[in-house]
Amino acid sequence: MEIKSLSLGDVGRFAELKIQLAPTPTHSSNVTVLVGNNGAGKTTLLKSLATSLSWLVARIRTEKGNGSYLADEDIRNGAIAGVISIMVTDHSQSHLNGSGPESEHPYFLWGIARGRQGRKTAVHSELVNVSRLADHYRTQLTENDKASLPLIAYYPVERSVLEVPLKIKTKHSFDQLDGYDNSLNRGVDFRRFFEWFRQREDSENETGISDTALAEVSKKLGTESDAWKTLSKLKASSKDPQLTAVRSAITDFMPGFTNLRVQRKPRLHMAIDKNGVTLNVAQLSQGEKLMMALVGDIARRLAMMNQLLGNPLHGDGIVLIDEVDLHLHPRWQRSLIRQLSETFPNCQFVLTTHSPLVISDAKDVLVYVLNDGELHEHNGLYGLDANQVLLEVMDTDIRNSEVQKRLNRLLNEVQDGNLDKAKSLFAELSSELPEGHIELAKTALLIRKLELRRA
């Protein structure tokens, strides 16, 4: 399942907007990235997608379920009503084509509308097609209680990993529909991921060999003993497939991180191996914890909702992530889109970012720039350096504006042949800027050439 397009009418700061999402005929990737200044409307688009998709989730759960509604504050200032329309394609449901006749690309169009209180308006919600699509998934679950479902998840800026809870407050079930629990909740903090992992690992250990038991045998008898080899084989065969998918996703996505697990000694905690060193997850940086929880949560939901797939990470779905670069080191930002696409190849991603590194290192990504309620597609970013993206896409200076003005003045003096003024400006900047500054190094060569010509 994929989102084909989203249309807004008088929502947020958008009077009228229609946006196509990747993949498109000209962009083969499954990733759309929105960039723009704060307040440009990036989050409005993600929340509008989440609002529309909440109706599909609600009606998969129950036939007459209700999703999220537009609020008065969502309606554009000065307008009396707001409308969100979404078109979704689902190639596996050609017989349910929402457009009427059969076609190669079935689609389902529905809309959410709201008028201001005390105002008369002709707009109204259209939910027939979302009900038809949801009914198909309920029929599949009726026929097979392990039938696959599409992942639908929204991760807002407010996501955080403030704690790693190990005391389970509520028992979680492992049914497909539970993969939708809090999936569009704007305040998700990944508590459920860690609680789920603990509970699932307890079940795994009850039916198999625990890490603690295997470690004790290794300590007493060694890893070459027949007992250790036998227990290792039993442990491998008893591994929980859903936990295996989560651990695999984290290892693939975060090189050097392996074997996420719960340890009972010396006290109960969650541990992970980082480059061969075992660490308490609480010791990781905020960026590492956030990335581990994000990837783990996506993998967990896919594993729950695709129990019959050989590799549940290949399940399909729609994932919305606001400020995907949040707390991430530049090295991780640069590989982020590639890793998302490789780890979850059949998921469609809609991301927002302020990082030039995120959008310049992956091919065929569909990038939109938002500015003052307008939206423009921006192509040809692959391979650009961060400075070019800052200047050309994000309309941001690559360095301090005052320093840039003085560097420009210095270059102008050199080009005009004013050697004395150039050398004076160069001396001033050299005393303030760090040694090895690349622009000063370039200018030093130009000044030397000017001196040689004068000689």
Side-chain angles (χ1 to χ4, degrees), residues 116-389:
R116 287 194 186 278
Q117 291 186 359
R119 307 292 195 278
K120 288 188 65 175
T121 175
V123 301
H124 58 278
S125 298
E126 295 283 353
L127 300 168
V128 174
N129 284 328
V130 70
S131 296
R132 295 178 67 201
L133 183 56
D135 182 67
H136 171 75
Y137 285 115
R138 289 200 313 276
T139 300
Q140 285 187 321
L141 285 175
T142 302
E143 296 172 352
N144 182 351
D145 60 4
K146 293 188 181 298
S148 291
L149 291 172
L151 167 64
I152 299 173
Y154 171 44
Y155 299 96
V157 172
E158 294 83 6
R159 65 189 183 274
S160 62
V161 188
L162 300 179
E163 59 177 334
V164 181
L166 289 171
K167 182 178 180 180
I168 300 175
K169 295 183 178 180
T170 56
K171 286 287 184 181
H172 303 293
S173 62
F174 306 139
D175 295 334
Q176 283 87 331
L177 284 174
D178 294 303
Y180 289 130
D181 284 353
N182 294 327
S183 67
L184 294 171
N185 186 326
R186 297 176 183 178
V188 64
D189 65 357
F190 301 109
R191 166 180 283 274
R192 185 172 293 263
F193 165 68
F194 291 112
E195 290 182 342
W196 171 87
F197 192 98
R198 162 79 189 280
Q199 183 176 336
R200 195 82 193 182
E201 191 176 73
D202 284 346
S203 298
E204 182 183 58
N205 290 336
E206 286 175 6
T207 58
I209 308 299
S210 69
D211 288 318
T212 303
L214 195 61
E216 290 177 357
V217 172
S218 173
K219 184 177 180 181
K220 292 179 180 179
L221 303 177
T223 57
E224 297 300 321
S225 65
D226 291 339
W228 187 88
K229 291 178 181 178
T230 300
L231 288 176
S232 295
K233 290 179 181 178
L234 287 173
K235 180 175 176 59
S237 64
S238 64
K239 279 189 174 296
D240 182 282
Q242 293 187 27
L243 286 182
T244 298
V246 169
R247 291 171 179 140
S248 173
I250 291 173
T251 299
D252 291 345
F253 206 96
M254 302 170 65
F257 289 78
T258 57
N259 196 21
L260 181 65
R261 62 199 181 278
V262 174
Q263 287 190 335
R264 274 75 182 168
K265 295 180 180 180
R267 66 183 188 283
L268 193 64
H269 66 282
M270 179 166 275
I272 193 168
D273 296 336
K274 180 181 179 182
N275 298 320
V277 178
T278 298
L279 297 174
N280 186 327
V281 164
Q283 295 176 292
L284 300 180
S285 70
Q286 183 72 351
E288 289 171 331
K289 285 189 289 187
L290 188 62
M291 183 54 63
M292 183 184 72
L294 174 64
V295 173
D297 194 71
I298 295 172
R300 171 183 76 95
R301 295 180 189 277
L302 283 172
M304 293 172 68
M305 303 170 86
N306 296 278
Q307 297 180 23
L308 296 181
L309 283 185
N311 184 351
L313 300 183
H314 288 181
D316 78 332
I318 297 165
V319 180
L320 317 172
I321 310 176
D322 205 358
E323 293 194 18
V324 69
D325 53 295
L326 195 66
H327 299 305
L328 294 187
H329 187 278
R331 178 168 52 85
W332 280 10
Q333 293 179 26
R334 187 176 291 281
S335 61
L336 188 58
I337 288 179
R338 177 179 56 80
Q339 288 289 80
L340 284 172
S341 298
E342 291 178 356
T343 307
F344 311 111
N346 295 319
C347 283
Q348 180 187 34
F349 291 93
V350 185
L351 317 172
T352 75
T353 185
H354 290 111
S355 170
L357 297 175
V358 169
I359 59 177
S360 63
D361 214 55
K363 288 184 177 180
D364 299 322
V365 172
L366 178 54
V367 177
Y368 288 106
V369 179
L370 284 81
N371 184 26
D372 196 25
E374 300 286 334
L375 182 125
H376 305 283
E377 184 178 333
H378 207 299
N379 294 313
L381 299 178
Y382 177 65
L384 293 183
D385 63 38
N387 288 342
Q388 285 179 290
V389 177

Side-chain angles (χ1 to χ4, degrees), residues 6-18 44-45 48 70-85 112-116 120-123 373:
L6 173 74
S7 298
L8 302 182
D10 291 323
V11 174
R13 61 181 304 162
F14 301 105
E16 185 177 354
L17 178 77
K18 183 171 183 177
T44 296
L45 291 180
S48 297
L70 278 167
D72 262 6
E73 55 267 26
D74 296 325
I75 301 172
R76 188 173 65 90
N77 291 339
I80 62 172
V83 182
I84 304 172
S85 297
I112 312 300
R114 179 187 176 94
R116 287 194 186 278
K120 288 188 65 175
T121 175
V123 301

